[in-house]
Structures are given as C-alpha cells and as structure tokens.
Amino acid sequence: MGRVEGHMLLVMKILDVDIRSVIVAQREETVDVVLVGGGIMSATLAALITSLEPSWTVEIHERRDAVAQESSNAWNNAGTGHAALCELNYTPQRPDGTVDITKAVTINEQFELSRELWNHLATNGRLPGGTGFLSTTPHMTFVRGEANVEYLRRRWETLRAHPLFSDLEFSTDPATIAGWAPLLVEDRDPAEPVAATRAASGTDVDFGALTRSMLDDAQRNGARLHVESEVTRLRQGRDGAWTLRIKDRRWNGVRKARRVRARFVFIGAGGGALPLLQKSGIPEAKGFAGFPISGQFLRTTNPEIVARHQAKVYGKADIGAPPMSVPHLDTRVVDGGTALLFGPYAGWSMKFLKHGSWLDLVKSIRPGNLVPMLAVGLRNLDLLKYLIGEVTATEVDRLRTLRAFMPTAHPKDWELITAGQRVQVIKRDKAKGGVLEFGTELVTSADGSIAGLLGASPGASTAVATMLDLLERCFPERVDGWRPQLREMMPSLGGAQWDESFELDQLVDERVATDH
C-alpha cells in the first residue's frame, strides 16, 4: 500500500467512515449497457447502439486476451456469408418431391441486412480499410448420384423463379462444372452423374477482421472494451438494474473482483452464454441446455491448388449427420492470405468454448433441463453414432471424404486444424420432452433488461437481423424513434414487408439449421 492510500485509510478511521462501503462504492460503477463477449454479436450490437444512442455508456467484456478468438475467429468458422445460395439444408424437399425455399429466402434477406449495415459503416469511414473483410467468392452446390442430381435440378428451378436467386446457374455437364471449379471433376469417373449450381455473387467473410474493426469503431464512439475480463456472476436488483461481478484475468491484474451495475445486459459469449443465462435466474432461460460439438478442417495453402479453386462448394450431409457437418470445400481469404478449407469433420467435447473447461457440460445440467437432455439423447441415437464414427476417424477416412469432393487430393498438401466449438440448443418441448435445434435462439427477459444468444450459425452472417430483433424486444418504447435512422443505415428495412410494422422477428423467428 502506498503512502497516499495509507493516509486515506487513517483519515477514514478518524472520521469513523465505513471503509468497506467506500471501497465497494469506488469499485462499483453504473453504465447503460454491458455486452458480454467480444465476438461478432456484441460488435454488431455495439455498432447499432453507439449509432442510435451516442450518449449511452457501453462496456464490453471479453474473457480472452483479444476479441474474436472463439466462434468469430476466421479459422473457427466457415466464413461463408450465408445467403442460402449453396446450402441444401435451407431448401428441404417435401414429401411430394417439391422443394421448400422459405428458409432460403429468409436467410438471404437477413444476410442482405448485414451487408447493408457493413456498407453503411464503411461508407461513413467507420470500418478502416473499407470492406476488406468481404471477398467476392462464387457459391456452388455439388452433388453426385442420379437422385441428388434430380433434387438439385428441382431446387434450382424453384429458386431461380424468385428474384433473389434469378442469377443462379445449373449444369450437369462436367466440362461446364470444370470451368467453374476444375478440382471437382478432375480425374472423376465420367460415368458418375454429377450436377452443380453456381451463384457468382457469393461472398467469403473474414468475421474476425470484421469484429475487430467494428469494436474499434465502437471504442472510437465511446464504448469501453475490457479484455481478460470475465463476468462470473450477475444479479438483478429491485430497481431492475443488473450487478455484474467481473474477474480480472490478467496475470498482473487486481485480484478482487470489480462490480458494474448495468441497466441492460447482452450475453453474446458463444458457448459461454448458457451458463451466464442460467446464473441470471430469469425464468425464460429455464429448460435450456447445450449439446457441444467440436470440429476439424483440412487446410491447404499450396498456391498451385489454391489458384485452381475460387469458390465455396457445399455438398450434401451424410445420413444421420447434423446440418453443421455438411461437407464443403471453401476458398478462404483471411488477413489478406488465401487458402482452401475442407470439412468440417465433426467431433465431440464437453467444453462449451474452444478454450473452455472440460466441466462446462456437467456444470450446465439443471433439474429443469435434465428431461429435455435425456429426451434428445434417446431420439438422436443416429447422431451419436455419427459422432462416434467421426471421433474415431483416421487420416485415411478423412482423405477419402475429401477425395469425394476433390479426387486428386494428396495428403502432403493438407494440414488438420481444429475448428471452433459449437453448442447446439436443447430446449423443452411439451410433446417430445426436449428438442435439439441447430439454429440460434435469442432469449430475452420479460422486462427486456437482459438478453442472450444461444446456438450456432447462421448467427455470424445474420447477426444484424438478430440484433435488430433484440432491439425490438428489449427496447420497444424506443423503436419508433430509432426507425428512421435504422432505415437510413439499412434501406431494406423500408421495404414493403417491414415498412409499417418493423416486425423483424418474422425473419429471425425462422430458426434454421446450421451449416457452419
């Protein structure tokens, strides 16, 4: 203790001041908004709030030593920029053979909102380097076998009738497909039926770079970012505000926890969101559980191979495989460098975060979510069988899967990297006991003072639509005042379907399967 602090304590003793109350008062601060997690969701909400309410005080707390280190990290996700141009799980086939494109249209509209906000920020100089995080990369779907070829044809015919997909191309000609992506057909059996669709307007998104740029912008607009800062506890007071206990994780940090009072809290901590929502005690979080799934990718930076594949190519998931395990061979542009990524190879871990604890799953079990977890486990034995097969897969098995996409693949050109951790949502269901969902779930309290996002993708690509839904739910009294500015930032909000009602939840509530 320094001389000044010692004199202060002596004075307080003489004046009979309660030292503990003074210390607490000094360590506790009230802010308008606390964002938990330094990923794309918090970055998006920070961009919106600092634009709409520049006088509000905003704090962002990230437990790692830098932002965008978990699911928003470029190598921890597919970075596709999901617009439903190539993902088959967004266009299921009905029993009568027709194709349902409802989810595809919804996802495409949501991604357009994201692009409009990013464009607004870049145009106004709020994203350094403009849109360097966004690269034009054609999106393709590639299938093999007569039944899959016929399904892809029907999908294409249905999609191209909609204005959003009018430029989608289709071909069963190997020569044409080779012109789009030669590695798909080179050395392939010419007797094998194949088909592909191509959307030249597709994108690759470096969500890590985007997150860092958006949070830099938020700080320039008054937000305060704290890294190695972990929210360990939160409790709501009688006045509706939340008191958060925040641990300093720096090796030389202050040992005693800091307390912050917040009028609104958003938990966008990826796999770390469920435990904090459970600690909040809000009724809306009861019954939720998480099913963690890890993954791996094969990556090559061989310039000769990379130069011959300029596309993101999605295939069809194996029977029993979760939608997030749809195989895809992707061009990735990360930090200015280009590579090819193939996978994911699904795995399983009890961790909720890539850098989490092996006890995460165990600690998340509650009396209220035990029945949903057991119900989901009993009804998804095929998924468990699939995961066991993936966990025990050998290098030869992984290469065989890659060669189904790229027959000329050689193991010397590819390295195995660990992807991000995904925590799929398990929720109560009156009829089934519990259901496993592969999309995202926005959980908000009845009073709108706290919200959290559970689940996986297409969260990153549709972050803007999700955060607009959050604003609608948590700040209903301010929406009318924000509407003109939001429409200026995102012109699509002025379209007919939103013009008067601003019912963004009609988009976000279409909870869709993930393919990150």
Side-chain angles (χ1 to χ4, degrees):
M1 183 180 297
R3 180 178 299 177
V4 174
E5 289 85 351
H7 287 169
M8 287 178 62
L9 290 176
L10 178 59
V11 170
M12 285 189 290
K13 287 182 179 180
I14 294 173
L15 297 177
D16 195 25
V17 175
D18 187 340
I19 298 175
R20 288 176 298 177
S21 66
V22 172
I23 292 175
V24 170
Q26 289 179 336
R27 297 174 65 84
E28 185 172 286
E29 180 182 358
T30 299
V31 298
D32 293 302
V33 176
V34 165
L35 308 178
V36 184
I40 187 62
M41 290 296 171
S42 290
T44 300
L45 187 53
L48 290 171
I49 288 178
T50 55
S51 299
L52 299 170
E53 297 290 345
S55 65
W56 283 8
T57 50
V58 178
E59 282 197 3
I60 307 155
H61 293 272
E62 165 58 46
R63 67 188 296 271
R64 299 292 307 284
D65 60 358
V67 300
Q69 294 299 298
E70 287 282 347
S71 295
S72 297
N73 181 277
W75 294 120
N76 287 343
N77 63 65
T80 304
H82 292 288
L85 300 170
C86 58
E87 303 93 334
L88 296 181
N89 50 300
Y90 296 156
T91 52
Q93 185 171 266
R94 299 185 182 99
D96 63 358
T98 60
V99 178
D100 183 359
I101 67 169
T102 304
K103 291 180 180 179
V105 172
T106 296
I107 293 300
N108 193 283
E109 291 174 338
Q110 290 180 335
F111 183 59
E112 183 58 29
L113 285 177
S114 293
R115 294 195 63 169
E116 287 179 353
L117 177 62
W118 302 340
N119 181 68
H120 169 81
L121 296 175
T123 301
N124 287 274
R126 295 179 58 181
L127 289 182
T131 54
F133 57 87
L134 192 69
S135 304
T136 299
T137 307
H139 283 198
M140 294 179 59
T141 304
F142 179 73
V143 298
R144 300 173 293 127
E146 291 183 4
N148 290 332
V149 168
E150 183 56 31
Y151 159 69
L152 191 63
R153 185 192 306 275
R154 288 196 298 269
R155 177 184 183 270
W156 168 68
E157 290 174 346
T158 307
L159 280 174
R160 69 170 178 162
H162 194 284
L164 293 175
F165 302 92
S166 59
D167 61 348
L168 192 64
E169 303 172 81
F170 172 84
S171 180
T172 58
D173 177 23
T176 299
I177 298 173
W180 295 344
L183 298 182
L184 297 178
V185 294
E186 191 171 283
D187 283 357
R188 187 176 295 280
D189 182 355
E192 181 181 36
V194 295
T197 57
R198 178 176 182 265
S201 59
T203 56
D204 176 70
V205 185
D206 183 343
F207 282 108
L210 173 60
T211 298
R212 291 189 292 271
S213 293
M214 292 180 79
L215 289 177
D216 285 345
D217 170 69
Q219 290 179 83
R220 288 192 296 271
N221 284 278
R224 291 174 292 185
L225 172 64
H226 302 272
V227 295
E228 295 185 277
S229 181
E230 181 179 10
V231 176
T232 59
R233 190 177 303 170
L234 62 169
R235 178 176 56 85
Q236 189 174 30
R238 293 181 179 179
D239 61 352
W242 291 85
T243 298
L244 289 76
R245 186 177 186 272
I246 301 172
K247 178 182 179 182
D248 188 344
R249 293 175 57 91
R250 295 174 297 177
W251 70 270
N252 62 343
V254 178
R255 290 187 177 274
K256 291 186 178 180
R258 174 173 173 251
R259 289 181 175 83
V260 174
R261 293 182 75 252
R263 297 183 177 89
F264 173 75
V265 178
F266 170 64
I267 306 174
L274 177 60
L276 286 175
L277 278 172
Q278 290 175 328
K279 289 180 180 180
S280 73
I282 60 173
E284 293 80 5
K286 292 182 179 179
F288 281 99
F291 183 77
I293 298 178
S294 60
Q296 295 176 312
F297 283 96
L298 288 174
R299 178 175 64 187
T300 181
T301 54
N302 184 322
E304 295 182 3
I305 298 175
V306 172
R308 301 190 65 209
H309 186 85
Q310 297 296 318
K312 287 181 175 291
V313 184
Y314 274 61
K316 191 172 183 180
D318 294 333
I319 296 175
M324 68 169 290
S325 295
V326 172
H328 45 95
L329 181 62
D330 289 1
T331 295
R332 293 303 324 273
V333 182
V334 179
D335 296 330
T338 306
L340 295 187
L341 207 65
F342 178 78
Y345 299 96
W348 190 79
S349 168
M350 292 177 66
K351 294 182 179 181
F352 278 5
L353 293 165
K354 186 174 181 179
H355 299 275
S357 166
W358 289 101
L359 297 177
D360 285 343
L361 177 59
V362 175
K363 290 180 178 180
S364 72
I365 298 175
R366 299 285 192 279
N369 64 21
L370 185 56
V371 170
M373 293 178 73
L374 292 174
V376 165
L378 291 174
R379 284 202 318 276
N380 289 273
L381 296 178
D382 55 344
L383 172 58
L384 296 178
K385 181 180 178 181
Y386 169 80
L387 290 176
I388 292 172
E390 287 285 285
V391 170
T392 58
T394 65
E395 182 179 347
V396 174
D397 295 327
R398 288 191 289 267
L399 181 63
R400 185 183 301 115
T401 305
L402 171 58
R403 283 180 172 168
F405 260 68
M406 177 185 167
T408 59
H410 194 285
K412 68 179 177 63
D413 296 314
W414 299 81
E415 62 173 331
L416 189 67
I417 65 172
T418 301
Q421 193 77 353
R422 300 290 184 267
V423 181
Q424 309 306 142
V425 177
I426 295 175
K427 59 188 295 188
R428 286 187 295 199
D429 182 87
K430 291 182 179 180
K432 300 178 181 180
V435 292
L436 177 66
E437 297 190 347
F438 291 96
T440 54
E441 186 83 22
L442 183 62
V443 181
T444 59
S445 63
D447 64 359
S449 65
I450 188 170
L453 189 71
L454 303 177
S457 101
S461 299
T462 59
V464 173
T466 304
M467 292 300 99
L468 288 172
D469 183 32
L470 181 149
L471 295 180
E472 171 81 7
R473 294 194 202 180
C474 297
F475 303 96
E477 74 285 354
R478 293 182 177 269
V479 167
D480 286 342
W482 290 340
R483 185 182 292 117
Q485 188 173 353
L486 288 170
R487 286 176 174 169
E488 181 181 347
M489 298 163 69
M490 291 157 283
S492 290
L493 291 177
Q497 66 266 51
W498 302 298
D499 191 42
E500 296 299 330
S501 63
F502 193 61
E503 292 178 352
L504 290 160
D505 52 336
Q506 70 180 328
L507 296 179
V508 181
D509 283 347
E510 286 285 345
R511 304 303 177 196
V512 297
T514 172
D515 57 356
H516 264 272

